[in-house]
């Protein structure tokens, strides 16, 4: 059997991860405020944002970089400023932590966990730089 | 016309003024290249920034993009050549990629350069792309990626093409805004060639005409 790679894992588990993270963030007040401002239900807003994040995370792990999520963060910062999106810096780290918790809980290999942890460490530095609050 | 003035006309929905400016510039093939690379492309980037910054609405962004698309097609048509029987090129956006104006402009410029271009537009499914390559046997396949988060999809697409076609795989060239984020991103997705804009791509791909 071929060895599972991190990006293949994310491809195979995309929907399950999305549902699990959305469930964990269901009562998040800040996400609720953003959804209200965009005239979306909280569930739709969360799914939309998570879809972008998961695509970017998978791309990063496929390319061995943090370029995709870095671009998403820069984009998010510009959108927040341009569209007065009501989320604080802490929200970004919280969201990444929720996604990471779900991913790590589903990984059944130490090698993959180590790979993801190394990636997550770099992403947390990026988040802290872009959203320092 | 300066870029900002052109953008103002785009945002005002003045397609007639924009098309007239395009026609003034695209009096020959060189002019069409300049129109695409120096006016339409940078105006699209600026439009995107204006939307991100909350300066224009989604409606404004769509109107400007549609107007640019109209200008491009209006100005390209008189310079297009009959290309049946010419070397075949294949241009597509990778799965999930919905930005097609850039690759559309490349397809136009290639047609004007004598290529017989198959243009597949947005979000081309991998299996169908492989089938089309088998059937149509292009000299190269051009894949466009606008968003960095779609580079993973580009890599999977290129890997699947190579696995399916082996030594029959034509050269794969990539381009689009996503690759501006890093010098080596085009290599990381497994492409053979990269061009920073449509004009450079046409020049580079001339070597594959045979």
């Amino acid at each position: 059997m071929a060895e599972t790679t991190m990006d293949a894992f994310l491809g195979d588990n995309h929907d399950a991860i999305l549902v699990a993270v959305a469930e964990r963030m269901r009562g998040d007040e800040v996400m609720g405020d953003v959804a209200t401002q965009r005239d979306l239900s909280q569930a739709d807003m969360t799914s939309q944002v998570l879809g972008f994040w998961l695509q970017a995370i998978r791309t990063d792990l496929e390319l061995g970089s943090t370029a995709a999520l870095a671009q998403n963060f820069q984009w998010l910062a510009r959108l927040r400023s341009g569209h007065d999106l009501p989320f604080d810096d802490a929200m970004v780290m919280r969201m990444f932590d929720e996604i990471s918790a779900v991913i790590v809980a589903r990984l059944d290999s130490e090698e993959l966990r180590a790979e993801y942890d190394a990636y997550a460490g770099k992403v947390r530095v990026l988040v802290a730089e872009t959203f320092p609050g | 016309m300066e870029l900002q003035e052109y953008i103002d006309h785009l945002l005002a929905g003045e397609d007639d003024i924009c098309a007239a400016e395009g026609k003034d510039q695209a009096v020959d093939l060189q002019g069409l290249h300049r129109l695409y690379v120096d006016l339409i492309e940078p105006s699209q980037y600026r439009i995107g920034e204006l939307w991100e910054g909350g300066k224009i609405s989604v409606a404004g962004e769509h109107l400007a993009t549609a107007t640019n698309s109209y200008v491009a097609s209006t100005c390209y048509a008189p310079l297009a050549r009959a290309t049946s029987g010419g070397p075949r090129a294949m241009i597509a956006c990778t799965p999930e990629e919905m930005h097609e104006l850039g690759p559309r402009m490349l397809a136009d410029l290639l047609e004007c350069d004598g290529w017989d271009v198959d243009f597949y537009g947005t979000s081309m499914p991998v299996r169908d792309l492989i089938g089309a390559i088998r059937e149509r046997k292009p000299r190269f396949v051009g894949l466009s990626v606008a968003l960095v988060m779609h580079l993973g999809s580009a890599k999977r697409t290129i890997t699947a093409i190579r696995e399916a076609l082996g030594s029959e795989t034509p050269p794969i060239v990539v381009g689009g805004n996503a690759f501006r984020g890093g010098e080596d991103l085009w290599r990381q997705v497994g492409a053979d060639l990269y061009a920073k804009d449509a004009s450079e791509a046409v020049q580079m791909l001339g070597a594959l005409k045979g």
Side-chain angles (χ1 to χ4, degrees):
Chain A
M1 192 159 89
E3 202 173 301
T4 303
T5 59
M6 198 59 226
D7 61 89
F9 166 83
L10 287 173
D12 293 343
N13 292 275
H14 175 276
D15 292 351
I17 293 169
L18 196 147
V19 168
V21 178
E23 177 59 29
R24 289 169 70 108
M25 297 199 66
R26 195 152 59 99
D28 192 284
E29 285 183 22
V30 178
M31 185 60 87
D33 291 344
V34 176
T36 302
Q37 198 251 31
R38 304 306 293 170
D39 284 332
L40 289 169
S41 72
Q42 182 158 347
D44 284 349
M45 186 77 238
T46 306
S47 291
Q48 204 176 84
V49 175
L50 282 174
F52 285 134
W53 281 58
L54 290 176
Q55 255 184 335
I57 290 170
R58 188 178 178 195
T59 286
D60 278 345
L61 289 164
E62 281 186 278
L63 301 183
S65 80
T66 53
L69 214 40
Q71 192 192 55
N72 270 16
F73 290 154
Q74 287 160 14
W75 185 58
L76 198 56
R78 290 196 297 271
L79 278 187
R80 178 173 65 176
S81 149
H83 294 259
D84 296 322
L85 295 178
F87 68 86
D88 54 8
D89 285 1
M91 164 80 191
V92 181
M93 190 69 91
R94 189 161 72 247
M95 186 140 179
F96 184 68
D97 286 342
E98 295 288 9
I99 293 171
S100 296
V102 168
I103 289 174
V104 169
R106 286 168 178 268
L107 289 171
D108 58 6
S109 132
E110 280 306 317
E111 287 79 19
L112 292 184
R113 272 197 209 105
E115 184 186 347
Y116 187 79
D117 283 347
Y119 169 71
K122 291 178 196 164
V123 170
R124 289 194 174 92
V125 171
L126 272 179
V127 175
E129 284 171 0
T130 318
F131 301 97
Chain B
M1 186 183 290
E2 294 296 317
L3 178 61
Q4 186 55 54
E5 189 184 349
Y6 181 75
I7 290 169
D8 291 341
H9 290 303
L10 283 178
L11 293 173
E14 293 165 341
D15 54 351
D16 51 344
I17 296 176
C18 293
E21 173 62 19
K23 284 176 191 166
D24 281 351
Q25 290 202 18
V27 290
D28 55 20
L29 195 49
Q30 293 290 330
L32 186 66
H33 277 248
R34 281 196 301 275
L35 171 67
Y36 279 12
V37 174
D38 296 337
L39 199 60
I40 294 181
E41 184 181 300
S43 72
Q44 281 298 124
Y45 288 140
R46 183 67 190 132
I47 293 295
E49 290 165 4
L50 289 171
W51 173 75
E52 285 175 3
K55 308 292 185 200
I56 62 171
S57 65
V58 171
E61 187 197 15
H62 284 208
L63 178 64
T65 302
T67 303
N68 261 336
S69 183
Y70 167 70
V71 172
S73 59
T74 302
C75 297
Y76 140 80
L79 296 166
R81 294 164 53 175
T83 56
S84 292
R88 177 162 292 130
M90 190 172 277
I91 306 290
C93 294
T94 51
E96 297 158 359
E97 183 56 66
M98 302 305 288
H99 296 81
E100 73 165 11
L101 184 54
R104 172 79 258 180
M105 291 195 294
L106 172 59
D108 290 352
L109 295 181
L110 287 167
E111 287 268 359
C112 292
D113 196 46
W115 290 87
D116 185 0
V117 183
D118 291 349
F119 177 66
Y120 291 96
T122 61
S123 194
M124 180 67 176
V126 178
R127 194 176 65 174
D128 298 282
L129 179 61
I130 291 169
I133 297 169
R134 273 205 179 100
E135 185 186 332
R136 307 280 290 169
K137 301 195 184 325
R139 296 278 175 91
F140 73 90
V141 176
L143 296 174
S144 178
V145 191
L147 302 178
V148 175
M149 69 179 174
H150 292 154
L151 288 175
S153 171
K155 184 177 181 181
R156 291 191 291 281
T157 300
I158 293 170
T159 301
I161 293 170
R162 294 197 192 287
E163 282 176 2
L165 301 176
S167 61
E168 302 295 310
T169 305
I172 297 174
V173 58
V174 293
N177 193 44
F179 296 98
R180 291 168 179 242
E183 257 181 37
D184 274 340
L185 286 173
W186 67 274
R187 290 184 205 278
Q188 289 176 40
V189 301
D192 299 301
L193 298 161
Y194 162 71
K196 69 174 169 51
D197 60 44
S199 195
E200 183 181 284
V202 172
Q203 194 174 14
M204 185 176 70
L205 292 165
L208 300 178
K209 276 170 120 176

